[in-house]
Structure formats: structure tokens, C-alpha cells
Amino acid sequence: MTAATEPLLLATAVRKAYGPTAALDGADLTIRAGEVVAVMGPSGSGKSTLLHCLAGIVRPDSGEIQYRGRELSAMSDGERSALRRSDFGFVFQFGQLVPELTCLENVAMPLRLSGTKRRPAERQAAEWLERLEVADISGKRPGEISGGQGQRVAVARALVGDPRVVFADEPTGALDSFNGERVMRLLTDAANDTGAAVVLVTHEARVAAYSDREIVVRDGKSRDTERVS
Amino acid sequence: MSSPHGGARYEPFAGFDSVGGGSGRPPAPDARTVGLRAWIRDLALGARFAAGGGREGWTRTALTAVGVGLGVALLLLTAAVPAMMHTRDQKRVAREPSSAAYIAHPGASTLLSEETGTTYHGDGITGLLVHPEGPKAQLPPGVTAWPGTGRMVVSPALERLLASSPLLRERIPYPITGTIGHAGLMGPAELYYYAGSDQLVARDSTYHHGNADRIAGFGAHSNSAVMGPTFDLLLIVVLVVLLLPVAVFIGTAVRLGGERRDRRLAALRLVGADIRTTHRIAAGEALLGAVFGLLVGALLFLVGRQLASHVTIRDISAYPGDMAPNPALTVLIVLAVPIASIAVTLAGLRGTTIEPLGVVRQGVGRRRRLWWRLLLPAAGLALLAPLFGKVKGDVSLNEYQVAAGAVLLLFGVTAVLPWVVEAAVGRLRGGPVVWQLATRRLQLNSSSSARMVSGVTVAVAGAIALQMLFHGVDGDFVSSTGADTSRAQAVVNGEVGDSAQVASYVRSIAAAKGVSQVYGFARADATRPDASTLKRDETTDYPYLPVDVAGCPTLRQLARITSCAPGSVFLVPPDDDPYVHGDYVKFVRPGGLVDLNSPDSGAYHGKARLWRIPAGAVTAHPLPQPSGAQEWGVLATPEALGKAALSTPQAQITVSVDPKQPDAIERVRNAVAAFGPAVRMYTLHDTKEKSNYIQLRRGLYAGATLTMGLIGASLLVTMLEQLRERRKLLAVLVAFGTRRSALAWSVLWQTAVPVVLGLVLACAGGIGLGAALLAMVGGPFHVDWAGMGAMSGIGAGVVLLVTLLSLPPLWRLMRADGLRTE
Amino acid sequence: MSIGHTLLGLLESGPRHGYDLKRTFDERFGHDRPLAYGQVYSTMARLLKSGLVEVDGIEPGGGPERKRYAITDAGITDVATWLAQPEKPEPYLQTTLYTKVVLALLTGRSAADLLDSQRAEHLRLMRELTRRKRDGDLADQLICDHALFHLEADLRWLELTAARLDQLAAEVTR
Ligand SMILES: Nc1ncnc2c1ncn2[C@@H]1O[C@H](COP(=O)(O)OP(=O)(O)OP(=O)(O)O)[C@@H](O)[C@H]1O
Ligand SMILES: [Mg+2]
């Protein structure tokens, strides 16, 4: 990756404890524009916590997280929500789709929340569904589709708002290897096209192989391969 | 699609010259600038959630709408009650003969009228004998033409009744010439008639010697009976007790599906909805449910109103058109229900933070605090306490203070309930699997269970308090008449010419089938012998000395008499009324003179008609009469009076009928009806109640039935919703091999535990409120344990019934593809 | 697997006789194939020549077998480089990696770092294969997938070892 690019996300000495357990104990990392970074590590090491901190949906106890030079914890809830609408996208293992809405409406939701009118928002959403090869299920609800289709809908939703960073936490966790790789391929291709960075939490090497580099989290401490070298 | 960002996006340091200014892209419109549009969008989105979401979503919204609708219908009905009462009152007054002043002579617009009521199989029938004296006489409301002499116009209900009951037709035999319209009837079931009669004679200025009033028309101004502060208190408490569960229930209904909603909102937070947006969306959801609820409620009300016109509750029926909700109250309901539902929703969200990762309950880990919950009932008590002992006599009650105090006390019960449930359930561990499942579930989310039973709790607490109050003030409104209904069932009285006429009345009554015993006497008044010589003005005091005239057999019923023959006279001293006793001692003695021309109002008229009490008159002790009265004064056989004329004698006839012949009393009524309007018959009752009080009690029973039904419905709705929310867990348990009966038991326990706690609390709260209310009216503290048991039993029964009703859906949920959700 | 580096690493904990070295090696790594004396002495001779070890002393009684070897600074550097150098990902790597991990633990170096850099190396290759798979035809894809699955298996082993490092360290240094 071009070392000259200024970091998009910069985390320094991030700590987060849930009661007595320290989920993060001094994590450092750098994410640059357009790169795909795999976050790896054993179960319970704090990967998800790190991801949530980076995305500003969990407030760290100490340490700094800067997004494009702005301190996340200094932002208001409204600002961070706006950031999630306009700059971030999310793909989780499951449960992030709104069960009451059709797939099309789910994908259009970030745009609508940012103030786009329904029609243009849904047109854009339909294009993304087509691109992720799930145009046929756009009228169905999340309860009526398969896990792989659901993940692709989630990817479409993560990317529809043209984000700078996509946060993916075990996006293929519930899928078989074939479907998992298809989702990964669609995700990284689309991210490449739009220039979005991807922070990808996974413990599957073959999924991590879609990244440009990896960050290892162990016992709440992260080793950024870029910083080590 | 992948609209490239501005070229600057990929350049080093892009956007960093504007650090702090946010992203280099066009800023996302924030809530402030979008304002109204964001509101509309989010409300619409919320409505979309409420309405959309497939069968699941629809069902939930429908349940909410039905729940709110039931409450709204009840509120609308309540709002219609004042207008209904007003309309009834107006109609009642409009057809009442106006009797502003005595009219001595017939005129172009005067008419003669006399009310002649009767009762048929327990239903009251009101009739008016009328005779227009001039061409301009005013027709009664609802009547288009005068019935000719010997004919009548009737209400449709009476027409139907007459057609089906020959026995009654015998009593009211006039040919029917028309029917009375809506304007002249208070309800479709009212039994009413106007009959033309040429037998009417106007009463004189002292309202004597006639059988009808000369009136100027219809439409009197009567002020309804004032019942005093205790009655107001009862009324307020009844309204509070009936309507508060409805309010609680509406609050529960709009919170249906809360857990799912929280999850949904969390998912929206993840894609960038800020907290205010989620609140607006939640408000939108609640709003749609409430609006649907209003529509359902309006529909239920309109349909119910039509149905209500076919129903008569204890003589009360009403036309649908008369049940018009008060416009101001209607507007209030239409506004308050959605606003309240939004407020309840937002208040429910206040304790939780919806975070992008899910719902963070701020209460988790922290125990509920008790003190502010206790503040509510304490505040209620503080409002009521100043009124202790003050509610009596004519003091006017501060309705708002009472209502607020009662509401706060009852709300206190619902506020304390979650704490009690949490505190009690928190200690439960172990036990059999079903018990463990139930208690663990309660520990995780005790508030929703507490909320579910809070309606029952409030209703039972209120009912207990009311029962205590009713019990305490019964004496104020119900008085014993002293009548002995086992000895006689009716008394007949009315003006007669002489004692011979009484005897003929007795004979014709005795001829009616089913009459087992009948006796009667003529009652006349006498006064002091020198009455005619006293100064004739209003202030002169004329002693009242009753003279009862009848044959020996009848006299034996009135007093303990050993020997009696025609010509016998007995003297019966009054009980121990010192006032009349003095007169009796002074004037009633063997050989004494009395004046039979007793003045019946104010001044003395005419000449004295002196009669000497025979020297052989014997003193006798009175016998208590079935009517509860005791006769005293002079008891004389007709022969003893000789030719002496009684002044305005009244027939007093006591009738007992064979209880095995249900129509006997109707036949007696027929016989009495033939005597003309001047003779009335009364059936005897053990107790006498003030009629408004009776209405209030009836209203309470009707309302309590509605409320309990409503609460049952609400419980069912919440229960179903809870089951739906837990469908996945249930499916997992079934997959584990848990037996269905075990799950059913766990559901039952899960409901039963809060219900039992709720009922205990309800009893405590009810006794508290009841004691406060009793203290206000100055009544002695008294707990009606039986009533309390009954109320708690009804509450528990409703819950049990609802749980049973929810089992079939539970079965279905467990059978179906429950595992596949979301 | 490099016997020279292994013996060097064993010397880091202190000077030893050749016989000592063989015994330690067999104990730790030569479970099914004990090291021949000849191989020990020829290896030591080569290491001596390249200055990675030196003769610390000779036991009285003479004879080549009584020589005591000690590691030099150059030798320590050599061990460190070897340990830090990830192995080229290939099948049946675990003997080498296992040796390296144990040696790192014995010499107080970070075995976790070692595993991390090995993982990085594996991932680097996997990325390359993934890229080839993306651009290639079906045959390429299938071949690449085969390799990827094997590499993934190795990586899993690396993860597992990493998770059990504490346990291993306790056993090794006992
Ligand atoms: N909300 C929470 N409350 C309490 N502890 C938490 C919470 N979230 C995470 N933890 C704890 O923090 C630690 C790190 O959790 P985290 O979810 O970040 O791990 P992870 O690396 O994502 O694991 P996995 O690979 O299993 O998803 C764990 O010990 C976990 O138990
Ligand atoms: Mg995780």
C-alpha cells in the first residue's frame, strides 16, 4: 500500500474494558484509504470490540481514534450517526437487516436517512442489488432469503451510501466456503471500485487472503503489520 | 452507481485542510436543517414499520389497534354518558306536565292530566290520562294527535308488549290510535302511553276532590335531586376506578412489540440513524397504532351503539342518536390517545439507550428504586388526607382533588408493582425446570410481565376500595322500610267515598285468582271538638287523630282485639311519639268528642261534624302491619259511626298473594286498575334506596363488567404478543425435546407469579384507598373480606382464562417453523 | 529443517559437549529419528569453521569427543535471523516450525512474533494465490484453491500453537 497516503483511521493506545475483563488493552493501528485490512486473532481477543471502537459505535475508555484527523470520541451522537450514514458501511455476521423492510428498502435505508427521496434512493439500491447478483430477491423480506443472499444484501447496503470505510465483522461467518468467498469477492471488488477501505474481522485465512494486509489482535493488543515493519 | 467522489478524494491530505470541518464531501443534511421533512420522513418510516413487515407486523399493529380501540370505545361511551344523561333529562322534563301555578278555570290551551303508572312483570309502565279542554291545548312531545276519549297513543315497546300479553291488555284496554315518536321517549324500550279520558275532574285549589291536574302544557322545570357530597365522591371514585384501568391498558397496548421494535431501531442506528431519528420513528409507529386504534374504537363505538339500542339494562335503554359523545371530550380523546401513546413510547425508551449494537438497558445491573414509586401513593394520600371527615352534609367537594388523589393512589400501585415483582423474583432460584424457565425469564425482563398485570391490579384495587366505600355509606342511601314481605306483597290505597266502597274494593281484589288474603279499611282524620271555634288561620294547630273504619275481621288484623261486634270501637295509643301521644291522651278517650271535619290543609273549612267516642270503647295494642306501619288512633266498626260522615276517607288495603302463582300480582293490578286513576297499588320491598344511588350502582356493575372484559382482552393480546416475541426461544426449547406441557406450565407460572404479587399489592392498595375514602366520609374502617376475595378471585380467574386461551396459539407456535425467523 | 541452526540454538543456553548436544536434541526434536554422532561432529566442525561457535574447553582425558562448544556473538545473530526468517510456506512444515518455536521458547525469544511473521508469510502467499485465482480460469482456480486449503490448514496449526504457547513454554522450560 502506498505508505505516503495519510491515514483514514488512526487508533492509538485504545483501551476498553467490560467490567473486569479488558477487551482492548492498548490497540494501535492505521487504516488508509482504499486498503482492505484483515483483523485476525483468536476468539475473545477483542477483534469485534476494536472494530466497534473504530466505527465509533463503542466509546473506548482511553486512547485516541481519529477519523480523518477528527477525534471520534469528541463527536456528538448526531455527528457520529451522520458519519455512519455518509462515510461508513457495515456488514455483520447476521441480524443487521431490518426484518420488517424488504431487501430493497433495507438497502435504500442509509440513503433515505441522509435525506434522499424514496425513488432515487430505491433506484440506487436496485442497482447495487443487481451488481451483487441478488436483484431477484429485492421484494422479499430478510426472513425469506438465504444467509448468503442476506450477506450480499448487507454488502449492498454497506456500499450504497458510497462510504469511505466498510466495517465487516465475520461477514462470511455463517456461510459455506464457496458462498463466503463469493461474498468476499463481491465486497472487495466493489470496495476497490468505489475506493472504500475495508476493515475485515475474520478468523478464516482464506477470507483474510482477500485483504491487502492483516492486523493481529491478541489479548486486546493489536499488532499492526504495517507498524511492525 | 459508484459515483466517484470528487477528485480530491484520492489525493494525499484530501480534506485535511478542513480538519474539524468534517468530510470534504457535501455535508449530510442534519436534523436541524431538515426539520419538518425529517419529522415527516421518520414518522412515515415508523408508520411503515407498524403497517408493513409482513403478517407479523400486521398482526402486531392489529393487536395494538384492537387494544387501543377497545379502550377508545369505552372512553367514547363514557364521553357520551353526560350527553346521554342530559338528553334523557331534557326529554323527561319536556314531557312532564308543567305545574307552575294552579289554574282554576279551563281555557283554550289548558288540559287535564293525571299520571297513572303500573308495573307489569317488573317493568314499569307510565301512562298519562289526558283531556284537552281547549282547541289550543299543547300536545305532549312525540305525539302528533290527541287520542280520542277511551283511546290511546303508545310507545312502540308498549305496543309490542300489549300485543303479546293479554293480561296487560285487560288492564290497559284502550284502542291504540298511534305511537309516540323518539322525541317523547327516553329510549326504545320505554313503556309509555297517553290515554284520552273524559272521567277527569280537576282538583280544587287545595288539590282535593278531583282526580286530575289542570295544566297549561308540557315541559316543567324541575331540578334533579341533589345527592350531596358523598354521592359526588362515589361518582368520582367510580369513574376513576373504571377509567384508570382503561388508561393503563392503552398504555400497555401501545407498547406491544417493544422488544422487536428495539432491535429494529438498533439496526437502524447502525446504518446511521441518530437518537432523535429513532425516537421519531418509534413515535411514528406508536402514532399509527394509536390512529388505527382510534378508528377501531370509533367503529366499535358506532356498532356498539346500534347494538346498545336493543339492550335494556335495568329499565334503561337509549336511542343510538342520543348517545352522542360530548364534542369537547371527543376532541380530547382524539388528541390525547395518540399523544399519550407517543408519550408512553418515548417514556419507555427513556430508560433504554438504543445503540447501534443493540439495546442497552440502563437499568440492567441497577436495582429499581422504591422511593419515587412510593411518592405517588404518598402524594395521593396527601391530597386526600385534608378531606378526612369533611365529606358530609352539604359541603361541596373539590372533585379534582379527590380524583387526583385517587388516581395517584391507584397509579402508585402500578408503579410499585414492577419493583415488587423484581424484588420478589430476584430471589427465586432452582426448582423444577418449568419453574426455572419461568423465573429466569421474569428476572431478565420483569417489567413487561409487571406491565401486563398492572391493568388487573389497578382494576382490582379500585374495586376493593369502592366496595369498602359502598359498604360504608350504604346506610346513607338505603333505609329499611320495615315492611314484612312474607305477610303481604302489596298495598292499595286511594280516595274513596265511604267504608262500604272499601269493602267492595276488597271483594273485587279477593276475586282475583291467586290472592290468598286481603283486608282493608277506610282511614279518615278527626280533630279536636272545638276546632271550628278556633281562630281560622294558617297558624292554628289542629291535632291529627286518625279514625280507621272497617269490619271486625279487618280490625283484628290491626290490633290485639279479644271481642268484637258491629258497633265496637277500640282505642289504640300511638307508639311513643311524645308529640302525638299528648293529643291522643287529651282527646281520645271513651265518651270523648271529636270533630270528624278535619282540616286537611291549613285553615278549617265548613261546619263541625262532631262524633262522640262510645263510652264502651276499649283500649287495644296495635299489631305491626306488613307495610311496616302501625295503626293507632280510633278503630271503629262502620256501625259505631252510624250516619256520621267521614271527611275524605282513604282506602288502605293490604294484599297477599299466593307465591306459587306468578301472575297473581298482575291480576291484582288489573283489578285495581278498574277502580280508576285515584286508586294506586304499591308492591312492598324490604329496603328502599335512593334512585340515583341505584343508578350509580348499576352503572358501576355495568362498567366493572366492561372493564374486566377489556382487561381480559388486553391480557390476551399482550400474552399473544409475548409469545410471538419468544417464538424463537420456544422453538429452541422444543428442539431440545422440552415437552409442550412443560412449556405451557412455564408460561402459566410466568403469568401467575406477577399476578399473585399484583393481587396482593392490589389488596393492600385497595384497602389503603378504601380506608382513605371511608375516612373522608367519616365511616368506620371495615374490610369486606368476602368482597375482596371475590374481586381477587375474579382477577385471578381472568388471568387463568386468558392463559388457557393463549395455549392453542402457543401450541401452534411451537409446532410451526418457529426456528426460522428473521 | 536446519540441524546447524538447531544445535546453535541449543548452545545459546550455555556451552555443551557434543554428546550433550545430541542427547538434548534427541530429547526435544528427534522423536523418531535420533541424531547420529557423526552428524553432530561434522556440523560442529562446519560451525567452528564459520566462526559461529568456539571451543570452550577440552575435558582432561583428551579425545575429540570431550570438546566443549560455546556459541559466539555471530552465532547468536545467526540463530536470531533464522528464527525471524519465516519459512517458505510449504506442506509438512510443522517439524521445522515446531523446532523454531521450542528454540525460541528455550532462548527466551518471542515465539508469538515468530508465529506472527510465519502467519504473515503464509497470508502473503495466500493473497498471491487468491489474486491468481481471481484473474485465472477455472483450472487455475481449482489449483489455487487446493494450495489455499493446504496453506489454511497450516495456518490453523499456527493459530492453535499460538493459542497454546503458554502451555508449551511451561513444558519446555521445566
Ligand atoms: N458487551 C460486552 N459485555 C461484556 N463483555 C464483553 C462485551 N463485549 C465483549 N466482551 C468481552 O470482551 C472480550 C473481547 O470480545 P470481542 O467480542 O471483542 O472478541 P472477538 O475477538 O470479537 O471474539 P470472536 O472472534 O469470538 O468474535 C471478550 O472477553 C468478551 O467476553
Ligand atoms: Mg467478534
Side-chain angles (χ1 to χ4, degrees):
Chain A
M1 222 53 268
T2 45
T5 318
E6 268 303 310
L8 200 56
L9 267 168
L10 183 67
T12 324
V14 176
R15 273 166 225 281
K16 172 78 195 173
Y18 290 106
T21 49
L24 279 183
D25 190 14
D28 304 301
L29 68 86
T30 314
I31 308 283
R32 288 171 200 285
E35 65 174 348
V36 180
V37 178
V39 177
M40 304 186 73
S43 205
S45 56
K47 303 184 294 291
S48 298
T49 309
L50 178 62
L51 185 94
H52 297 150
C53 287
L54 289 177
I57 54 185
V58 162
R59 186 184 289 259
D61 299 335
S62 70
E64 286 205 334
I65 295 168
Q66 291 189 342
Y67 173 71
R68 308 186 82 220
R70 290 192 67 196
E71 178 61 39
L72 276 185
S73 52
M75 294 187 190
S76 70
D77 173 76
E79 284 174 308
R80 270 181 280 127
S81 299
L83 214 53
R84 285 201 299 278
R85 287 198 296 270
S86 60
D87 285 30
F88 295 167
F90 295 90
V91 185
F92 287 168
Q93 188 172 342
F94 46 68
Q96 76 264 35
L97 295 178
V98 181
E100 281 78 4
L101 298 177
T102 64
C103 292
L104 185 70
E105 288 168 324
N106 259 295
V107 175
M109 190 50 58
L111 296 175
R112 295 207 52 206
L113 284 172
S114 325
T116 312
K117 291 229 172 61
R118 195 168 66 89
R119 253 167 234 287
E122 292 193 347
R123 205 175 323 117
Q124 230 169 311
E127 284 172 27
W128 271 103
L129 283 175
E130 191 154 336
R131 177 157 174 189
L132 288 160
E133 303 161 12
V134 281
D136 48 327
I137 55 157
S138 61
K140 293 192 173 179
R141 290 175 211 288
E144 305 162 344
I145 59 176
S146 79
Q149 290 169 328
Q151 284 313 83
R152 276 183 261 171
V153 172
V155 170
R157 194 183 65 176
L159 288 163
V160 73
D162 208 357
R164 288 172 193 271
V165 192
V166 174
F167 294 96
D169 193 348
E170 311 270 11
T172 62
L175 306 181
D176 64 29
S177 54
F178 179 68
N179 272 299
E181 291 208 34
R182 267 181 48 160
V183 166
M184 276 318 298
R185 198 167 162 169
L186 291 166
L187 172 64
T188 46
D189 282 354
N192 262 332
D193 289 352
T194 60
V198 178
V199 182
L200 168 71
V201 168
T202 185
H203 56 254
E204 286 179 79
R206 271 173 318 98
V207 171
Y210 282 84
S211 65
D212 298 321
R213 67 188 173 87
E214 75 275 358
I215 290 168
V216 179
V217 182
R218 186 161 287 139
D219 295 336
K221 296 183 177 61
S222 75
R223 289 147 193 267
D224 192 334
T225 48
E226 189 184 59
R227 289 196 173 190
V228 167
S229 56
Chain B
M1 175 193 332
S2 62
S3 62
H5 313 296
R9 168 87 191 260
Y10 294 109
E11 290 195 59
F13 309 110
F16 273 77
D17 32 14
S18 61
V19 167
S23 83
R25 284 186 279 177
D30 74 338
R32 274 179 310 263
T33 55
V34 178
L36 189 66
R37 248 190 68 201
W39 263 99
I40 293 172
R41 179 199 65 206
D42 296 340
L43 288 179
L45 195 57
R48 167 85 183 69
F49 284 138
R55 212 165 65 94
E56 182 97 357
W58 258 116
T59 320
R60 191 189 56 248
T61 309
L63 289 178
T64 309
V66 168
V68 174
L70 285 170
V72 166
L74 203 57
L75 287 180
L76 283 175
L77 186 66
T78 318
V81 165
M84 198 170 94
M85 287 315 203
H86 188 70
T87 310
R88 289 176 65 88
D89 229 36
Q90 273 189 332
K91 284 183 168 182
R92 185 176 56 75
V93 167
R95 72 185 180 190
E96 222 161 70
S98 68
S99 49
Y102 177 72
I103 307 170
H105 304 288
S109 63
T110 62
L111 57 131
L112 297 175
S113 91
E114 178 64 4
E115 207 183 303
T116 160
T118 184
T119 305
Y120 183 71
H121 287 167
D123 293 326
I125 301 169
T126 314
L128 213 62
L129 298 177
V130 288
H131 178 70
E133 292 180 308
K136 282 196 275 180
Q138 182 201 343
L139 280 165
V143 177
T144 49
W146 290 110
T149 297
R151 296 163 189 279
M152 66 177 171
V153 290
V154 295
S155 70
L158 180 59
E159 186 169 16
R160 283 193 299 275
L161 183 65
L162 284 173
S164 64
S165 16
L167 198 59
L168 182 66
R169 198 70 178 107
E170 216 173 279
R171 195 181 317 163
I172 311 173
Y174 321 108
I176 296 167
T177 61
T179 52
I180 307 172
H182 284 198
L185 297 171
M186 290 199 277
E190 208 179 10
L191 304 171
Y192 212 92
Y193 69 91
Y194 295 95
S197 167
D198 55 0
Q199 304 294 311
L200 299 179
V201 180
R203 295 197 175 88
D204 61 25
S205 61
T206 58
Y207 294 96
H208 275 91
H209 309 299
N211 57 10
D213 293 331
R214 176 166 292 125
I215 57 170
F218 296 92
H221 276 286
S222 81
N223 43 346
S224 41
V226 178
M227 296 294 282
T230 311
F231 182 78
D232 291 349
L233 177 68
L234 278 173
L235 188 66
I236 292 165
V237 176
V238 165
L239 283 181
V240 166
V241 164
L242 291 185
L243 292 186
L244 200 56
V246 176
V248 170
F249 167 59
I250 291 184
T252 314
V254 299
R255 284 198 198 191
L256 288 177
E259 289 179 31
R260 273 185 79 90
R261 188 214 39 220
D262 291 352
R263 256 181 282 142
R264 186 163 58 232
L265 293 181
L268 285 176
R269 286 278 284 149
L270 187 64
V271 292
D274 56 22
I275 288 174
R276 267 179 299 175
T277 305
T278 54
H279 282 189
R280 286 196 295 262
I281 292 175
E285 278 185 54
L287 195 61
L288 191 79
V291 168
F292 277 155
L294 279 178
L295 294 179
V296 170
L299 203 69
L300 283 178
F301 174 73
L302 291 178
V303 171
R305 194 165 76 157
Q306 291 303 323
L307 292 180
S309 67
H310 300 292
V311 176
T312 308
I313 303 171
R314 307 265 203 135
D315 281 359
I316 298 182
S317 65
Y319 288 109
D322 292 348
M323 285 190 267
N326 177 320
L329 287 179
T330 309
V331 169
L332 189 70
I333 292 169
V334 167
L335 290 181
V337 167
I339 290 174
S341 72
I342 290 178
V344 166
T345 306
L346 294 187
L349 285 178
R350 228 170 40 81
T352 60
T353 324
I354 301 208
E355 284 297 342
L357 289 178
V359 178
V360 183
R361 285 188 199 283
Q362 286 164 355
V364 162
R366 202 198 310 153
R367 300 185 63 78
R368 288 197 166 84
R369 273 162 310 178
L370 182 60
W371 64 268
W372 70 263
R373 293 164 196 277
L374 286 178
L375 271 187
L376 285 177
L381 213 55
L383 277 177
L384 296 182
L387 301 174
F388 283 0
K390 299 275 169 56
V391 182
K392 55 180 168 230
D394 287 335
V395 300
S396 70
L397 202 58
N398 184 343
E399 294 98 342
Y400 299 103
Q401 191 177 351
V402 175
V407 165
L408 281 174
L409 251 177
L410 287 179
F411 256 138
V413 173
T414 48
V416 172
L417 183 62
W419 181 88
V420 170
V421 172
E422 189 189 75
V425 162
R427 292 179 213 297
L428 300 175
R429 353 216 85 92
V433 177
V434 287
W435 176 253
Q436 205 175 15
L437 275 175
T439 52
R440 287 296 181 215
R441 169 78 191 164
L442 283 175
Q443 281 165 9
L444 199 64
N445 189 1
S446 62
S447 62
S448 73
S449 325
R451 211 159 47 222
M452 196 171 97
V453 298
S454 55
V456 179
T457 310
V458 171
V460 170
I464 289 173
L466 255 186
Q467 233 173 13
M468 281 172 72
L469 183 59
F470 266 103
H471 211 92
V473 300
D474 248 4
D476 290 5
F477 294 98
V478 183
S479 48
S480 171
T481 56
D484 184 351
T485 50
S486 64
R487 278 175 58 200
Q489 286 74 47
V491 295
V492 175
N493 59 34
E495 206 169 297
V496 286
D498 52 21
S499 62
Q501 197 174 0
V502 176
S504 86
Y505 283 177
V506 166
R507 274 193 303 280
S508 49
I509 290 174
K513 208 172 133 215
V515 174
S516 53
Q517 193 199 11
V518 56
Y519 64 87
F521 57 88
R523 144 82 48 85
D525 299 344
T527 191
R528 55 196 297 171
D530 54 351
S532 56
T533 62
L534 295 177
K535 199 164 118 237
R536 295 194 178 191
D537 77 16
E538 311 272 333
T539 58
T540 313
D541 188 23
Y542 300 100
Y544 162 73
L545 308 168
V547 178
D548 295 346
V549 184
C552 279
T554 301
L555 293 187
R556 287 184 199 282
Q557 301 281 344
L558 303 180
R560 236 184 288 273
I561 293 167
T562 43
S563 71
C564 175
S568 295
V569 170
F570 306 93
L571 304 181
V572 182
D575 228 358
D576 11 65
D577 184 335
Y579 177 70
V580 293
H581 199 82
D583 289 339
Y584 174 85
V585 172
K586 212 149 136 205
F587 302 109
V588 182
R589 55 195 148 72
L593 262 182
V594 290
D595 185 352
L596 291 179
N597 182 19
S598 164
D600 32 39
S601 60
Y604 190 92
H605 292 279
K607 287 195 299 203
R609 290 202 300 276
L610 293 179
W611 175 66
R612 184 171 298 279
I613 300 172
V618 187
T619 299
H621 287 286
L623 284 172
Q625 294 302 290
S627 66
Q630 278 189 8
E631 302 303 333
W632 63 278
V634 182
L635 304 188
T637 49
E639 295 77 7
L641 278 160
K643 289 274 174 284
L646 298 171
S647 66
T648 61
Q650 299 277 328
Q652 296 278 348
I653 302 169
T654 304
V655 185
S656 33
V657 293
D658 181 353
K660 288 191 214 62
Q661 299 217 26
D663 274 342
I665 201 88
E666 300 301 337
R667 292 202 189 88
V668 175
R669 286 202 179 100
N670 281 4
V672 172
F675 305 155
V679 183
R680 300 287 168 90
M681 176 177 133
Y682 305 91
T683 46
L684 295 179
H685 298 282
D686 298 329
T687 54
K688 199 168 100 195
E689 296 176 88
K690 289 202 189 167
S691 69
N692 276 6
Y693 175 76
I694 302 172
Q695 280 209 4
L696 182 65
R697 257 224 321 221
R698 283 178 194 166
L700 173 66
Y701 290 142
T705 316
L706 276 178
T707 306
M708 272 295 171
L710 181 70
I711 284 171
S714 89
L715 264 178
L716 191 60
V717 166
T718 356
M719 192 92 132
L720 291 181
E721 178 60 24
Q722 281 204 350
L723 287 181
R724 306 177 75 81
E725 293 210 327
R726 300 180 55 214
R727 156 192 287 189
K728 201 165 185 170
L729 171 77
L730 292 172
V732 170
L733 287 173
V734 170
F736 275 171
T738 317
R739 274 209 309 274
R740 285 177 179 189
S741 64
L743 285 184
W745 274 109
S746 95
V747 169
L748 183 66
W749 281 125
Q750 201 184 311
T751 325
V753 170
V755 164
V756 168
L757 292 171
L759 288 180
V760 168
L761 205 60
C763 291
I767 292 177
L769 179 57
L773 294 175
L774 278 178
M776 284 163 66
V777 299
F781 179 79
H782 165 92
V783 180
D784 181 6
W785 293 109
M788 209 164 87
M791 284 295 163
S792 309
I794 291 172
V798 165
V799 172
L800 191 71
L801 183 73
V802 163
T803 308
L804 288 180
L805 282 179
S806 72
L807 284 184
L810 174 71
W811 251 235
R812 227 181 28 250
L813 277 183
M814 287 187 295
R815 192 190 57 220
D817 50 346
L819 267 173
R820 183 183 170 86
T821 44
E822 269 134 84
Chain C
M1 156 147 166
S2 164
I3 306 264
H5 282 115
T6 312
L7 294 179
L8 258 185
L10 287 176
L11 278 180
E12 260 202 71
S13 52
R16 286 167 201 262
H17 299 293
Y19 174 72
D20 234 11
L21 276 173
K22 174 197 152 37
R23 233 186 44 220
T24 317
F25 183 94
D26 286 349
E27 229 167 65
R28 297 210 182 275
F29 310 114
H31 304 296
D32 47 357
R33 216 148 35 97
L35 207 55
Y37 274 116
Q39 200 178 356
V40 175
Y41 292 121
S42 65
T43 306
M44 292 322 286
R46 236 186 8 256
L47 293 175
L48 258 177
K49 205 151 57 182
S50 43
L52 301 176
V53 297
E54 58 194 14
V55 175
D56 189 41
I58 300 171
E59 297 271 299
E65 69 274 16
R66 304 307 287 171
K67 256 185 216 151
R68 230 157 66 123
Y69 300 98
I71 191 166
T72 62
D73 286 350
I76 294 177
T77 316
D78 195 48
V79 172
T81 317
W82 177 65
L83 285 178
Q85 176 69 49
E87 296 294 313
K88 188 172 171 338
E90 60 187 18
Y92 311 115
L93 205 52
Q94 66 273 29
T95 26
T96 313
L97 285 176
Y98 176 72
T99 309
K100 278 183 152 186
V101 166
V102 171
L103 271 181
L105 290 173
L106 279 174
T107 57
R109 290 183 173 87
S110 165
D113 283 351
L114 188 156
L115 289 170
D116 276 351
S117 54
Q118 187 60 50
R119 185 216 324 261
E121 188 59 21
H122 268 70
L123 270 177
R124 201 187 51 71
L125 185 59
M126 287 179 79
R127 271 190 204 106
E128 208 170 283
L129 287 166
T130 304
R131 214 165 298 131
R132 253 175 49 203
K133 189 171 81 171
R134 272 181 147 173
D135 306 334
D137 56 12
L138 186 59
D140 273 343
Q141 285 178 16
L142 289 175
I143 290 165
C144 289
D145 268 336
H146 184 263
L148 278 168
F149 277 116
H150 276 288
L151 286 170
E152 191 185 20
D154 279 352
L155 259 179
R156 290 231 175 106
W157 180 84
L158 284 175
E159 296 285 355
L160 210 65
T161 310
R164 292 182 181 164
L165 270 183
D166 290 345
Q167 220 178 319
L168 189 62
E171 267 180 32
V172 163
T173 53
R174 194 174 46 203

